[in-house]
mmCIF file of all heavy atoms in Angstrom:
data_model
loop_
_atom_site.group_PDB
_atom_site.id
_atom_site.type_symbol
_atom_site.label_atom_id
_atom_site.label_comp_id
_atom_site.label_asym_id
_atom_site.label_seq_id
_atom_site.Cartn_x
_atom_site.Cartn_y
_atom_site.Cartn_z
ATOM 1 N N PHE A 340 -124.110 31.843 15.577
ATOM 2 C CA PHE A 340 -123.714 31.479 16.930
ATOM 3 C C PHE A 340 -124.522 30.262 17.409
ATOM 4 O O PHE A 340 -123.941 29.435 18.128
ATOM 5 C CB PHE A 340 -123.931 32.633 17.831
ATOM 6 C CG PHE A 340 -122.861 33.730 17.705
ATOM 7 C CD1 PHE A 340 -123.314 35.065 17.717
ATOM 8 C CD2 PHE A 340 -121.577 33.438 17.575
ATOM 9 C CE1 PHE A 340 -122.383 36.095 17.592
ATOM 10 C CE2 PHE A 340 -120.589 34.452 17.503
ATOM 11 C CZ PHE A 340 -120.990 35.807 17.511
ATOM 12 N N PRO A 344 -121.900 27.302 18.613
ATOM 13 C CA PRO A 344 -121.698 28.080 19.847
ATOM 14 C C PRO A 344 -120.302 28.360 20.191
ATOM 15 O O PRO A 344 -119.950 29.384 20.902
ATOM 16 C CB PRO A 344 -122.298 27.125 20.978
ATOM 17 C CG PRO A 344 -123.142 26.178 20.175
ATOM 18 C CD PRO A 344 -122.569 26.017 18.942
ATOM 19 N N GLU A 347 -119.005 31.955 19.383
ATOM 20 C CA GLU A 347 -119.381 33.180 20.213
ATOM 21 C C GLU A 347 -118.333 33.477 21.229
ATOM 22 O O GLU A 347 -117.886 32.645 22.014
ATOM 23 C CB GLU A 347 -120.742 32.939 20.882
ATOM 24 C CG GLU A 347 -121.273 34.199 21.521
ATOM 25 C CD GLU A 347 -122.711 33.980 22.019
ATOM 26 O OE1 GLU A 347 -123.163 32.831 22.153
ATOM 27 O OE2 GLU A 347 -123.366 34.991 22.249
ATOM 28 N N THR A 348 -117.854 34.765 21.251
ATOM 29 C CA THR A 348 -116.796 35.157 22.218
ATOM 30 C C THR A 348 -117.510 35.794 23.391
ATOM 31 O O THR A 348 -118.672 36.176 23.300
ATOM 32 C CB THR A 348 -115.879 36.183 21.582
ATOM 33 O OG1 THR A 348 -116.624 37.378 21.281
ATOM 34 C CG2 THR A 348 -115.155 35.619 20.335
ATOM 35 N N ARG A 349 -116.733 35.980 24.450
ATOM 36 C CA ARG A 349 -117.288 36.629 25.620
ATOM 37 C C ARG A 349 -117.823 38.000 25.375
ATOM 38 O O ARG A 349 -118.821 38.418 25.839
ATOM 39 C CB ARG A 349 -116.197 36.678 26.714
ATOM 40 C CG ARG A 349 -116.152 35.333 27.463
ATOM 41 C CD ARG A 349 -115.208 35.469 28.660
ATOM 42 N NE ARG A 349 -113.829 35.732 28.137
ATOM 43 C CZ ARG A 349 -112.827 36.039 28.932
ATOM 44 N NH1 ARG A 349 -112.921 36.102 30.234
ATOM 45 N NH2 ARG A 349 -111.603 36.205 28.402
ATOM 46 N N THR A 350 -117.055 38.788 24.549
ATOM 47 C CA THR A 350 -117.467 40.123 24.238
ATOM 48 C C THR A 350 -118.766 40.187 23.535
ATOM 49 O O THR A 350 -119.627 40.930 23.779
ATOM 50 C CB THR A 350 -116.389 40.817 23.398
ATOM 51 O OG1 THR A 350 -115.205 40.895 24.134
ATOM 52 C CG2 THR A 350 -116.850 42.221 22.930
ATOM 53 N N VAL A 351 -118.939 39.236 22.510
ATOM 54 C CA VAL A 351 -120.164 39.202 21.784
ATOM 55 C C VAL A 351 -121.343 38.792 22.696
ATOM 56 O O VAL A 351 -122.426 39.463 22.642
ATOM 57 C CB VAL A 351 -120.038 38.243 20.604
ATOM 58 C CG1 VAL A 351 -121.374 38.023 19.908
ATOM 59 C CG2 VAL A 351 -118.998 38.745 19.607
ATOM 60 N N ARG A 352 -121.108 37.856 23.576
ATOM 61 C CA ARG A 352 -122.164 37.471 24.498
ATOM 62 C C ARG A 352 -122.603 38.684 25.413
ATOM 63 O O ARG A 352 -123.742 38.935 25.663
ATOM 64 C CB ARG A 352 -121.762 36.290 25.407
ATOM 65 C CG ARG A 352 -121.871 34.982 24.741
ATOM 66 C CD ARG A 352 -121.738 33.823 25.803
ATOM 67 N NE ARG A 352 -120.483 33.852 26.476
ATOM 68 C CZ ARG A 352 -119.389 33.289 26.088
ATOM 69 N NH1 ARG A 352 -119.331 32.637 24.952
ATOM 70 N NH2 ARG A 352 -118.209 33.378 26.814
ATOM 71 N N ARG A 353 -121.557 39.353 25.841
ATOM 72 C CA ARG A 353 -121.766 40.496 26.712
ATOM 73 C C ARG A 353 -122.528 41.571 26.002
ATOM 74 O O ARG A 353 -123.465 42.206 26.490
ATOM 75 C CB ARG A 353 -120.482 41.060 27.240
ATOM 76 C CG ARG A 353 -120.558 42.152 28.299
ATOM 77 C CD ARG A 353 -119.216 42.456 28.983
ATOM 78 N NE ARG A 353 -118.126 42.705 28.034
ATOM 79 C CZ ARG A 353 -117.084 41.895 27.904
ATOM 80 N NH1 ARG A 353 -116.895 40.909 28.653
ATOM 81 N NH2 ARG A 353 -116.091 42.217 27.014
ATOM 82 N N MET A 354 -122.134 41.827 24.730
ATOM 83 C CA MET A 354 -122.815 42.822 23.928
ATOM 84 C C MET A 354 -124.297 42.457 23.738
ATOM 85 O O MET A 354 -125.333 43.254 23.823
ATOM 86 C CB MET A 354 -122.180 43.062 22.608
ATOM 87 C CG MET A 354 -120.825 43.787 22.732
ATOM 88 S SD MET A 354 -119.867 43.745 21.203
ATOM 89 C CE MET A 354 -120.979 44.548 20.089
ATOM 90 N N ARG A 355 -124.540 41.214 23.417
ATOM 91 C CA ARG A 355 -125.928 40.663 23.181
ATOM 92 C C ARG A 355 -126.709 40.779 24.432
ATOM 93 O O ARG A 355 -127.833 41.269 24.439
ATOM 94 C CB ARG A 355 -125.860 39.241 22.672
ATOM 95 C CG ARG A 355 -127.237 38.697 22.405
ATOM 96 C CD ARG A 355 -127.285 37.161 22.370
ATOM 97 N NE ARG A 355 -126.947 36.665 23.681
ATOM 98 C CZ ARG A 355 -126.110 35.648 23.938
ATOM 99 N NH1 ARG A 355 -125.561 35.030 22.897
ATOM 100 N NH2 ARG A 355 -125.954 35.250 25.075
ATOM 101 N N ASP A 356 -126.152 40.406 25.558
ATOM 102 C CA ASP A 356 -126.829 40.496 26.815
ATOM 103 C C ASP A 356 -127.176 41.861 27.267
ATOM 104 O O ASP A 356 -128.211 42.142 27.715
ATOM 105 C CB ASP A 356 -126.010 39.730 27.932
ATOM 106 C CG ASP A 356 -125.870 38.300 27.714
ATOM 107 O OD1 ASP A 356 -126.628 37.711 26.959
ATOM 108 O OD2 ASP A 356 -124.986 37.653 28.392
ATOM 109 N N ASN A 357 -126.239 42.778 26.964
ATOM 110 C CA ASN A 357 -126.489 44.230 27.270
ATOM 111 C C ASN A 357 -127.641 44.771 26.482
ATOM 112 O O ASN A 357 -128.488 45.498 26.926
ATOM 113 C CB ASN A 357 -125.257 45.056 27.175
ATOM 114 C CG ASN A 357 -124.199 44.813 28.200
ATOM 115 O OD1 ASN A 357 -124.503 44.223 29.256
ATOM 116 N ND2 ASN A 357 -123.008 45.136 27.903
#
Side-chain angles (χ1 to χ4, degrees):
F340 286 137
E347 191 170 17
T348 65
R349 281 188 290 174
T350 298
V351 173
R352 278 194 304 273
R353 188 170 49 246
M354 290 169 59
R355 183 199 62 224
D356 293 344
N357 287 342

